[in-house]
Amino acid sequence: MSDPSNIIKQIIGKTFKAIRLKQGLSQEDLAHECDVDRSYISMIEVGRNEPSVTKIFDLCRGLKIKPSDFFKLVEGEYEKAWKNG
């Protein structure tokens, strides 16, 4: 498996994007809910930015999901990547 921290950034971004799209929100919508710039959301979703724990909680609030549920999704994807890595 390549760099674990890079994989985690990618998984966090893909997970936020999947939830956002499932809810029918644009990056602009989520950015507005979380009081951040749309480009910040984009950078997270493509794995170029790693949000702080505080920002993850803000994003979860904006998506109306529990952070624990978000982290369970991330953990599941990480385990898949680890097994396939």
Side-chain angles (χ1 to χ4, degrees):
M1 179 175 356
S2 58
D3 179 20
S5 66
N6 194 40
I7 290 169
I8 291 169
K9 279 196 298 190
Q10 295 290 324
I11 291 170
I12 286 172
K14 288 179 182 179
T15 303
F16 272 127
K17 183 176 183 177
I19 296 166
R20 177 181 63 75
L21 291 174
K22 187 175 180 182
Q23 293 185 6
L25 296 172
S26 68
Q27 289 180 344
E28 192 70 43
D29 294 333
L30 181 56
H32 179 73
E33 282 293 316
C34 301
D35 198 27
V36 297
D37 193 82
R38 187 211 54 82
S39 64
Y40 179 72
I41 301 295
S42 175
M43 297 289 271
I44 291 171
E45 289 185 353
V46 298
R48 293 194 59 206
N49 256 4
E50 185 171 6
S52 66
V53 173
T54 303
K55 202 49 83 175
I56 288 173
F57 273 66
D58 289 344
L59 292 166
C60 287
R61 182 182 37 77
L63 291 168
K64 297 171 180 52
I65 62 168
K66 293 193 297 187
S68 59
D69 292 338
F70 173 77
F71 282 112
K72 284 178 193 166
L73 292 170
V74 170
E75 180 183 25
E77 290 301 313
Y78 182 76
E79 287 175 357
K80 281 186 213 172
W82 182 259
K83 287 178 187 172
N84 297 332

